[in-house]
Amino acid sequence: MRSLTLMLDGLFFPLGVASRVAIIAVVLAVIAAIAYYRRMLDRSGIAAALIIGFIVFFIGGISGFVVFLFFFLSSSVVTKACRGSGKGHPRTASQVVANGLPAALALLSYAAFSYPHGALVAFAAAVAEASADTWAGEIGQLSHKDPVSIVTFTRVPKGISGGVTVLGLSASVLSSLLIAILYIGTFGGSLSDAAIITSSGFLGALLDSFLGATIQVKYRDEDGALTEEATGDRVRGIPFIDNDAVNLISGLFSLSLGAALSLL
């Protein structure tokens, strides 16, 4: 039995290009206005989200857009819930690109090459990684204990990349699983697809923590505290590998892993 979104896609894709573009423009404009009003995105983030959202909607249809929109909305809700409605900063263009570009690239490959199933699984895997990393980082900070470095297994300050908690890891698995379930409910995938998406998303989030602990740049602020903000003296890591770069690398990893596993 076809899902509701696939049935809607059956009505959406036969429309002319101009009609589809108009529908997408209206939907994205409404979402962008809400996101800006709710301080989910700043102006640069809005611009980046509109571009990525257009690619996802135009190629992935309503099914792909629903999966991607769930990631965006659920991550925003989790962030607000964990930090409080008055805390945190709107996401910038670099953050949007780091989390959304791998998914967009997967759909571009879906349109360009001859193995659509693998590309769709890769798309969902990339979304699962972005969601898993966000949920792990935000929910993990609610842990009563400081996180443990994924490399040295020693305690590290909260908010510093490379640290993991049981609570954060559990949130990461749950988020990846929810994306996998949503993929089945929209694209109609199999249980093996769900397993690939869940594992690829979770492993990508683990890679994010590993890279955060090893190559991501860290600084020492005026008070001597370790920080990821480009203030003070660099103490370790590669200068141009910041949190956004790590997120992008991890998303590309999950994309590639999802595509490779779907070939087996």
Side-chain angles (χ1 to χ4, degrees):
M1 181 177 178
R2 299 181 72 194
S3 68
L4 174 61
T5 58
L6 283 181
M7 287 189 286
L8 292 175
D9 283 336
L11 300 174
F12 175 73
F13 282 118
L15 297 174
V17 172
S19 298
R20 280 182 283 152
V21 169
I23 292 172
I24 293 171
V26 171
V27 173
L28 291 182
V30 172
I31 294 174
I34 295 173
Y36 186 72
Y37 174 76
R38 300 293 298 177
R39 289 181 53 80
M40 297 176 183
L41 301 169
D42 67 8
R43 291 182 180 180
S44 69
I46 289 291
L50 287 173
I51 295 172
I52 291 175
F54 180 84
I55 294 172
V56 171
F57 206 153
F58 190 79
I59 300 176
I62 296 171
S63 297
F65 189 67
V66 166
V67 173
F68 195 76
L69 185 61
F70 174 81
F71 150 65
F72 173 69
L73 293 179
S74 65
S75 296
S76 297
V77 169
V78 166
T79 298
K80 292 291 185 182
C82 293
R83 299 190 185 188
S85 58
K87 298 181 180 180
H89 300 284
R91 297 187 183 277
T92 63
S94 61
Q95 291 172 317
V96 172
V97 170
N99 286 285
L101 182 60
L105 290 176
L107 288 180
L108 287 171
S109 68
Y110 168 77
F113 301 110
S114 58
Y115 186 53
H117 176 259
L120 289 178
V121 172
F123 160 73
V127 176
E129 188 282 325
S131 184
D133 178 56
T134 303
W135 282 42
E138 299 297 345
I139 296 177
Q141 293 194 57
L142 300 179
S143 177
H144 295 300
K145 296 182 179 180
D146 285 336
V148 174
S149 169
I150 197 171
V151 175
T152 64
F153 302 107
T154 57
R155 297 288 176 183
V156 296
K158 289 183 178 180
I160 296 296
S161 296
V164 297
T165 64
V166 173
L167 186 61
L169 292 174
S170 300
S172 180
V173 173
L174 175 60
S175 178
S176 294
L177 179 60
L178 289 176
I179 295 294
I181 293 173
L182 186 57
Y183 174 83
I184 292 178
T186 52
F187 287 103
S190 64
L191 290 179
S192 62
D193 291 335
I196 290 171
I197 293 165
T198 302
S199 58
S200 296
F202 177 65
L203 290 174
L206 285 183
L207 175 65
D208 188 285
S209 295
F210 177 79
L211 295 178
T214 53
I215 67 173
Q216 184 175 330
V217 64
K218 304 289 193 308
Y219 301 90
R220 189 77 66 184
D221 64 18
E222 294 180 354
D223 298 326
L226 197 64
T227 178
E228 296 177 2
E229 300 294 331
T231 58
D233 298 324
R234 180 173 65 90
V235 294
R236 68 171 183 264
I238 301 173
F240 59 87
I241 302 295
D242 59 6
N243 186 64
D244 292 337
V246 167
N247 287 343
L248 179 59
I249 294 170
S250 302
L252 293 173
F253 166 81
S254 290
L255 179 160
S256 302
L257 180 61
L261 290 177
S262 68
L263 288 170
L264 298 178

